[in-house]
Amino acid sequence: MPNPIKPEKSVVTTCAYCGVGCGFKAETRGEKIVRMIPWKEGKANHGHSCIKGRFAYDYYNAPDRVLTPLIRASIDDPWKSVSWEEAFAYAAGEFKRIQAKFGVKSIGAVSSSRCTNEEIFLTQKLARAVLGNNNIDNCARICHSPTQFGLTQTIGAGAASQHFDSILQADVIMIVGANPTEGHPVFGSLMKRRIREGARLIVIDPRKTETVESAHCKADVHLAIRPGTNVAILDSIAHVIVREKLYNEAFVHARCEVAEFENWKALVGDDKYAPEVIGPIANVDPADIRRAARLYAGGPNSTIYYGLGVTEHSQGSTGVMCLGNLGLSCGMLGREGVGVNPLRGQGNVQGGSCLGSWPHVFSGYRFVTDHATRSSFEAEWGVTLDAEPGLRLPNMLDAAVAGSFKGMYIMGEDPVQSDPNQHHVIAAMKNMECVVLHDLFLNETSKYAHVFFPGSSSLEKDGTFTNAERRVSRVRKVIEPLAGLQDWEITVKFMNALGYELSYDNPGEVLDEIARLSPNYSGMSFALIDQIGSAQWPCNKDAPQGTEVLHREKFPRANGLGTFMLTDYVPTAERTSDRFPLLLTTGRILTQYNVGTQTRRTPNSVWHPEDVLEINEQDAIARGLQDGDWVQMSSRFGQIQLRARISERVNPGVVYTTFHHAKSKANAVTSDLSDWATNCPEYKVTAVDVVRIRVPTGTASLEAARLEAAE
Amino acid sequence: MAQTNSPTQGAEMPVMALDRILSMANQIGDFFAPYPPERRAEGIRNHLRTYWDPRMRDQLLQHIAAGGAGLAAPVIAGAKLLQDEAHAKPGYYGPPKA
Amino acid sequence: MWHEVRGLKDDVDLGTPPRDGPPVSLEIDGQPVTVPAGSSVMLAAATAGRAIPKLCATDMLEAFGSCRVCLIEIEGRNGFPASCTTPVAEGMKVKTRSEALTRLRKGVLGLYLSDFPRNEIPGGWSEFHETLKAEGITSHPYGEGGANHFDARVDDSNPYFLFDPTKCIVCSRCVRACAEVQGTFALTIDGRGFESKVVASQNQPFLQSECVSCGACVQACPSHALVEKSLFDGEYKHA
């Protein structure tokens, strides 16, 4: 085999992993994908890639891929393979029976950021137009819902203000609760390129991440805060900006609500947010808080990128507002090189947010309570729609436990593994009479499901994704769907089975419907994207090829002005105690992706075969721990067993783990606390203790799991 | 504002556990604490109106009618504004307005 | 500032990164072309449809000037500068083809060919193979018994790609991609002269090195020395 075999065909598509949304050329021989080459014209990646998109695509072909629909009357029964028609009829019959017995609102739907815009839109259409309620949510609920809320309050748009390339004009880069070189690697490379050119770097993160220090890239200031003190530290940075008058008065007077600015100044300017007060609370040097504030305010171009380390807190939305406040006060919005930007975790989190998979808003973030908006959807869909907000995903689970919620259509999610307080989620699942799961593989949630629709991977369907910079790119079918139907077809046929007549020739017609009903997407079409490669919303009459930088002239709020929210620090109820003296925080690693559904089925597990617990040497010594020892970690909610790794990346008092492997059940210990505004779970702070154990209970199964993962 | 026609609306079964409702409501109250009393109440009211399922709001109001034990006073004041449609601001359910 | 990444095109390799300067006009083989200041002669030639053969240059990386295949002649200047490292100048007259250039390129490509596994020339489709074909190089005058790297061991430690040093032409594209594009700096050139070789980290297998398996080096490699395992059926061994 001296020379490689040349691929026969190549299709340009968009990566299914993180929120960077890299363009790839998927190359095939016959019906087999043999290579993914990063697309040089991909505007999010410019020909670069990471291990996941470039190499970890073979999961689509994994031996345990489910290829036929499955049903069962009880979760104690074995699965029965059935035809598509039978599966649709059974699921529809059950949903109708449940609604007749328990009411219209006893059923809901959840879509996934792993799905296309078209599929997400169809799923909310299914909930609103067919099930007749607003019990529709998506997995952004548990990651970036505070972004939508917090940014909308301050700057009017719950999305990144910039395009990725904007960072190449930044002088100061502030990264808060994100680790781009692991979580968003291709953007991380772009960021490093700019840092090598001389940009200064501020990192706010409890952990000394790879972003803090790597080859030719070192943070000028690293605020290694105690988990849960984001709002305190950001208010303290604001305090320095206010007290030292580092704010941009001209910008504030031209572009913001000045009275609210004054209110904000009074709040954060109070002595209680002085670095000397907050430093000890957040466990950082007050001088570093001042340095960070001066660097950021000094610019001239300062930009903020943030991740789930900001949002996944009981004050997640408040933390996002703090960032909006900072950007406004220093005039770091509305041009290239600046901005406030969420780094979205999954490929289509932004799309999930835009397309109305929320219980309170339609696509384009317009409230279901608004008569005019609702009427436009009623006219298009030919039904009367519920005028009241529905249940959020965590509330659906709460309601299921209470017995008022009985059925769920889950498209491309695994809430049992990914949602917090696993015991509560399982109790909710067990209490439902019909859980319809639509996925590629049986997973933790399928143990409690009654119907399984075998879905199509993103290599097997057409549609669009919206990445973290609001860029809408095409997902193109590379091979035929292995189970026979593309995901959007499955949802449409399920709607048909439920008695709602509709059909589309292709998902481009769904995008056309989205465009008709959503002002920010009104110019989007398959034809436009095919022609110009991709387009960032807003894409409409005024911006026919999309918009790279938001807020240039005004903010999309009623009066066009940005505003300041009062962001008092409220410590989380999750506190350390004698019994649980350590704070656990969680994160992702480069080679694995979220709950691992895809990456665990690829050789990526060679790099990360299991989740480990990072612990500081000081805490390890106090517990008699050595590197590699098995430990039991317990919280108020549960306990798990995993291996310890002694690490200088975490400070004393803090431990860290990833949540990629189902067997380690990281979410068995995470708390039931959530963001005050959006119920986004507080994954990033759990009080725990760690003790050494000799041999893990059920070692055999753990070893088996690791072997299985490594295969 | 049109009302929904859910058969379960007003039914005796609570939509979810009461302690969950109370802790969520108190968290909302905590956020609006730095605002002056009138804006604080309006902020709480707007948030509940815009983001909460009506059955959750009903459950909260029923608990308030029964004494409101465990709820912070400003939360009760804000939630009570839900009962008076005069506070409805069509098309606007954002943060408290200046 | 960002034209280097934003100006890339899918189906053409301009050879050096696109630039964003004021326009500069010059002639390539008598044909007028205008490109931004700061562009290389190689980019100007590619833009004019007179692409110059190259091995160590590609438009995702800064010019390096090591392979000596892209030599040109410039009117009024001595010698045969590399077109990748030569910036354009107003009124410059460039010749990309001449007898002398053909002879020089043939010599250089023959040297590369002499240290490339002979049986793996037929059927190859890498940039190196395509360049040999385009320049009509099928043999070299250096005999068979000379020093070579044919016994170098394949590193197949990474699950996704392998490194076969026998096919490596030490152009440093992988090393530069790891630094400039990815920013990891996992690769380097170890040794000097004929002993030069690409190594990961401290001469470790790729899997044990700092390599993050982003694939930038594999994409940059012009000779399929770094290549995706998925492109092969069955075991990898030399013909």
Side-chain angles (χ1 to χ4, degrees):
Chain A
M1 193 55 55
N3 284 304
I5 305 168
K6 204 169 181 172
E8 294 160 354
K9 218 178 89 188
S10 165
V11 177
V12 174
T13 188
T14 303
C15 179
Y17 285 110
C18 80
V20 178
C22 295
F24 275 95
K25 291 165 79 173
E27 299 182 336
T28 51
R29 265 195 304 131
E31 271 296 289
K32 192 173 173 353
I33 294 160
V34 292
R35 184 162 73 163
M36 297 284 271
I37 286 281
W39 188 34
K40 277 167 75 184
E41 288 182 31
K43 289 182 184 133
N45 60 317
H46 305 300
H48 191 35
S49 58
C50 83
I51 181 169
K52 294 187 283 281
R54 177 79 153 92
F55 295 119
Y57 53 81
D58 229 15
Y59 61 85
Y60 82 91
N61 215 8
D64 60 341
R65 176 87 185 264
V66 181
L67 299 176
T68 60
L70 307 170
I71 62 171
R72 58 182 173 183
S74 152
I75 60 169
D76 301 319
D77 294 341
W79 285 110
K80 185 177 135 199
S81 274
V82 294
S83 68
W84 276 110
E85 289 66 31
E86 200 175 341
F88 290 133
Y90 180 78
E94 280 295 281
F95 273 17
K96 284 183 182 164
R97 178 185 66 76
I98 290 168
Q99 283 193 313
K101 189 168 164 196
F102 298 99
V104 169
K105 295 197 172 192
S106 60
I107 300 236
V110 184
S111 70
S112 164
S113 306
R114 224 67 69 81
C115 302
T116 63
N117 285 325
E118 293 70 20
E119 290 150 11
I120 290 166
F121 186 82
L122 286 172
T123 306
Q124 60 105 32
K125 184 171 179 176
L126 181 147
R128 299 192 207 283
V130 184
L131 300 179
N133 65 49
N134 288 321
N135 293 336
I136 169 69
D137 214 346
N138 79 98
C139 59
R141 175 63 62 203
I142 63 170
C143 67
H144 265 295
S145 52
T147 284
Q148 188 200 325
F149 186 84
L151 287 186
T152 305
Q153 304 295 327
T154 48
I155 60 176
S161 60
Q162 313 297 117
H163 50 334
F164 289 142
D165 293 347
S166 164
I167 201 169
L168 294 175
Q169 301 197 30
D171 304 300
V172 176
I173 300 165
M174 183 153 112
I175 305 286
V176 192
N179 186 10
T181 57
E182 304 252 2
H184 303 84
V186 168
F187 172 74
S189 290
L190 197 69
M191 177 188 80
K192 284 182 164 186
R193 181 189 280 239
R194 185 59 188 162
I195 291 167
R196 291 199 302 276
E197 288 172 355
R200 315 290 297 274
L201 176 66
I202 304 165
V203 179
I204 304 180
D205 198 304
R207 193 163 162 267
K208 189 178 168 191
T209 60
E210 217 255 351
T211 300
V212 173
E213 190 170 358
S214 64
H216 302 283
C217 172
K218 189 172 190 309
D220 297 273
V221 185
H222 175 210
L223 299 173
I225 57 169
R226 189 179 154 81
T229 58
N230 286 335
V231 170
I233 205 87
L234 292 170
D235 280 346
S236 190
I237 288 173
H239 175 92
V240 177
I241 288 169
V242 166
R243 286 291 189 93
E244 298 186 6
K245 296 194 168 32
L246 304 174
Y247 47 80
N248 183 337
E249 197 144 19
F251 182 90
V252 170
H253 279 264
R255 303 285 313 272
C256 303
E257 292 176 355
V258 176
E260 296 301 315
F261 175 63
E262 295 299 330
N263 291 338
W264 174 76
K265 266 168 64 184
L267 179 83
V268 298
D270 190 280
D271 286 345
K272 66 180 173 178
Y273 291 118
E276 290 67 27
V277 177
I278 297 301
I281 294 173
N283 196 27
V284 297
D285 183 349
D288 283 341
I289 301 178
R290 292 188 184 277
R291 282 172 60 213
R294 290 168 191 157
L295 255 181
Y296 177 76
N301 280 348
S302 298
T303 185
I304 295 172
Y305 291 86
Y306 70 93
L308 305 184
V310 171
T311 56
E312 289 177 349
H313 289 277
S314 56
Q315 275 203 293
S317 290
T318 315
V320 174
M321 290 173 188
C322 288
L323 299 175
N325 290 342
L326 277 181
L328 290 170
S329 66
C330 294
M332 298 298 178
L333 282 158
R335 62 180 189 275
E336 277 153 1
V338 297
V340 179
N341 302 283
L343 288 168
R344 302 282 186 162
Q346 302 190 54
N348 204 26
V349 180
Q350 186 64 59
S353 296
C354 296
L355 274 304
S357 254
W358 296 107
H360 65 292
V361 286
F362 289 110
S363 57
Y365 311 106
R366 291 159 307 146
F367 292 105
V368 296
T369 45
D370 180 65
H371 179 73
T373 305
R374 203 169 60 249
S375 301
S376 67
F377 281 83
E378 287 175 339
E380 176 87 26
W381 295 348
V383 288
T384 306
L385 297 172
D386 187 352
E388 291 289 343
L391 293 170
R392 305 162 181 178
L393 171 56
N395 302 146
M396 290 185 214
L397 299 173
D398 293 334
V401 170
S404 66
F405 189 83
K406 291 290 182 186
M408 205 178 208
Y409 171 45
I410 304 172
M411 189 195 217
E413 276 207 62
D414 187 2
V416 172
Q417 194 187 339
S418 66
D419 287 28
N421 193 4
Q422 197 170 61
H423 303 294
H424 177 75
V425 180
I426 289 173
M429 288 291 162
K430 283 184 167 168
N431 239 6
M432 283 190 263
E433 296 190 1
C434 184
V435 173
V436 178
L437 189 64
H438 176 164
D439 215 310
L440 301 182
F441 303 99
L442 295 178
N443 56 25
E444 294 303 302
T445 303
S446 66
K447 292 176 183 163
Y448 311 97
H450 305 85
V451 179
F452 187 91
F453 294 157
S456 50
S457 77
S458 65
L459 299 159
E460 301 157 40
K461 63 192 183 188
D462 281 302
T464 57
F465 279 165
T466 305
N467 77 352
E469 45 165 6
R470 296 171 279 107
R471 183 180 302 288
V472 179
S473 304
R474 275 282 268 124
V475 173
R476 292 188 180 83
K477 190 179 74 172
V478 181
I479 51 171
E480 290 302 317
L482 298 192
L485 294 176
Q486 298 186 34
D487 287 329
W488 65 271
E489 296 176 298
I490 295 169
T491 306
V492 167
K493 283 176 189 287
F494 187 32
M495 287 159 92
N496 293 155
L498 283 160
Y500 186 83
E501 282 310 316
L502 85 169
S503 68
Y504 303 92
D505 285 340
N506 61 70
E509 295 180 4
V510 183
L511 184 58
D512 294 341
E513 182 174 325
I514 292 169
R516 284 196 297 277
L517 290 167
S518 327
N520 281 338
Y521 279 68
S522 64
M524 295 286 180
S525 67
F526 274 16
L528 176 78
I529 299 169
D530 289 345
Q531 189 196 331
I532 65 172
S534 60
Q536 289 172 267
W537 67 258
C539 174
N540 50 34
K541 241 187 10 263
D542 301 328
Q545 303 216 329
T547 311
E548 290 190 328
V549 175
L550 297 182
H551 316 311
R552 282 188 188 272
E553 310 290 329
K554 56 182 185 175
F555 293 97
R557 297 179 71 248
N559 59 10
L561 301 173
T563 198
F564 291 80
M565 297 298 290
L566 300 185
T567 51
D568 233 350
Y569 169 55
V570 182
T572 169
E574 183 70 12
R575 312 269 167 91
T576 53
S577 61
D578 288 348
R579 200 164 151 225
F580 301 114
L582 302 171
L583 283 180
L584 167 72
T585 190
T586 57
R588 291 204 317 215
I589 201 165
L590 171 69
T591 50
Q592 295 285 1
Y593 182 72
N594 285 0
V595 297
T597 307
Q598 295 152 289
T599 47
R600 278 189 286 117
R601 290 180 170 85
T602 70
N604 275 31
S605 288
V606 169
W607 284 270
H608 187 79
E610 61 184 342
D611 295 318
V612 297
L613 184 77
E614 283 186 7
I615 185 167
N616 185 280
E617 188 167 26
Q618 201 173 308
D619 293 322
I621 289 171
R623 288 164 179 76
L625 284 181
Q626 298 199 332
D627 200 59
D629 278 353
W630 279 96
V631 295
Q632 174 151 305
M633 174 162 63
S634 23
S635 73
R636 291 187 291 130
F637 303 91
Q639 50 201 16
I640 61 171
Q641 297 174 343
L642 67 178
R643 272 186 223 268
R645 177 187 293 151
I646 296 174
S647 170
E648 289 179 346
R649 288 191 184 275
V650 287
N651 280 336
V654 177
V655 291
Y656 168 89
T657 190
T658 48
F659 52 89
H660 300 304
H661 291 275
K663 294 293 166 188
S664 50
K665 292 193 189 330
N667 281 324
V669 295
T670 50
S671 88
D672 63 351
L673 295 172
S674 64
D675 175 43
W676 68 269
T678 67
N679 281 139
C680 179
E682 186 164 64
Y683 289 113
K684 299 293 184 184
V685 193
T686 309
V688 296
D689 199 12
V690 171
V691 293
R692 188 164 73 96
I693 49 173
R694 230 168 233 302
V695 189
T697 42
T699 311
S701 66
L702 277 163
E703 291 294 335
R706 279 216 313 285
L707 287 173
E708 178 195 340
E711 270 164 15
Chain B
M1 199 61 51
Q3 284 298 304
T4 56
N5 301 312
S6 162
T8 53
Q9 194 154 36
E12 61 283 358
M13 182 188 277
V15 66
M16 65 175 73
L18 181 65
D19 58 349
R20 183 87 168 141
I21 296 266
L22 301 186
S23 66
M24 284 167 62
N26 280 332
Q27 268 187 292
I28 295 166
D30 286 345
F31 173 79
F32 288 104
Y35 288 89
E38 207 178 310
R39 292 185 68 191
R40 184 179 188 182
E42 190 178 296
I44 293 166
R45 181 244 169 233
N46 285 347
H47 193 89
L48 296 171
R49 180 67 188 81
T50 310
Y51 296 97
W52 277 31
D53 183 297
R55 294 169 295 167
M56 292 161 64
R57 298 199 301 262
D58 288 347
Q59 207 176 332
L60 180 67
L61 288 171
Q62 277 168 30
H63 179 71
I64 289 172
L71 282 174
V75 176
I76 295 176
K80 278 185 169 171
L81 295 182
L82 287 167
Q83 292 164 319
D84 181 0
E85 275 301 302
H87 289 275
K89 287 187 177 176
Y92 179 77
Y93 292 105
K97 268 197 164 170
Chain C
M1 168 188 351
W2 58 28
H3 217 66
E4 286 76 4
V5 288
R6 298 194 129 201
L8 297 170
K9 289 274 166 279
D10 177 45
D11 45 353
V12 281
D13 185 349
L14 299 167
T16 60
R19 302 288 190 220
D20 197 16
V24 173
S25 295
L26 65 161
E27 270 181 27
I28 310 280
D29 296 332
Q31 188 177 324
V33 63
T34 302
V35 294
S39 302
S40 67
V41 171
M42 176 178 278
L43 181 141
T47 307
R50 302 284 305 169
I52 300 168
K54 61 186 183 54
L55 289 176
C56 76
T58 184
D59 56 8
M60 284 183 67
L61 303 172
E62 292 299 325
F64 195 56
S66 82
C67 76
R68 314 314 292 174
V69 173
C70 72
L71 307 183
I72 48 165
E73 292 176 38
I74 300 173
E75 195 177 294
R77 295 195 198 178
N78 288 338
F80 303 93
S83 63
C84 61
T85 51
T86 306
V88 293
E90 191 62 38
M92 188 183 248
K93 290 189 164 62
V94 176
K95 221 194 260 182
T96 72
R97 300 272 156 185
S98 73
E99 250 177 59
L101 287 172
T102 303
R103 196 178 64 245
L104 285 168
R105 275 185 203 135
K106 231 179 181 147
V108 172
L109 286 169
L111 278 167
Y112 283 118
L113 183 60
S114 71
D115 195 11
F116 199 91
R118 190 174 49 156
N119 293 332
E120 301 182 22
I121 292 297
W125 48 281
S126 71
E127 279 182 55
F128 176 64
H129 288 92
E130 298 300 334
T131 305
L132 291 177
K133 266 181 239 167
E135 297 302 307
I137 312 287
T138 51
S139 63
H140 60 81
Y142 304 108
E144 295 298 322
N148 60 52
H149 297 86
F150 296 158
D151 293 331
R153 282 184 54 167
V154 173
D155 177 355
D156 61 357
S157 60
N158 186 296
Y160 295 119
F161 62 84
L162 57 85
F163 175 51
D164 181 350
T166 67
K167 295 186 183 178
C168 176
I169 62 169
V170 203
C171 65
S172 294
R173 267 163 74 159
C174 53
V175 177
R176 290 179 287 139
C178 191
E180 292 175 32
V181 178
Q182 165 58 26
T184 291
F185 298 84
L187 304 181
T188 189
I189 301 289
D190 190 35
R192 305 181 66 119
F194 190 78
E195 303 302 321
S196 307
K197 59 177 181 179
V198 170
V199 301
S201 196
Q202 302 300 310
N203 204 355
Q204 291 164 299
F206 271 78
L207 190 63
Q208 267 87 61
S209 74
E210 297 98 317
C211 167
V212 293
S213 201
C214 70
C217 57
V218 182
Q219 193 185 348
C221 180
S223 61
H224 282 157
L226 279 158
V227 65
E228 296 88 352
K229 290 181 177 176
S230 57
L231 291 180
F232 297 88
D233 280 343
E235 201 190 342
Y236 181 83
K237 56 176 190 280
H238 286 291

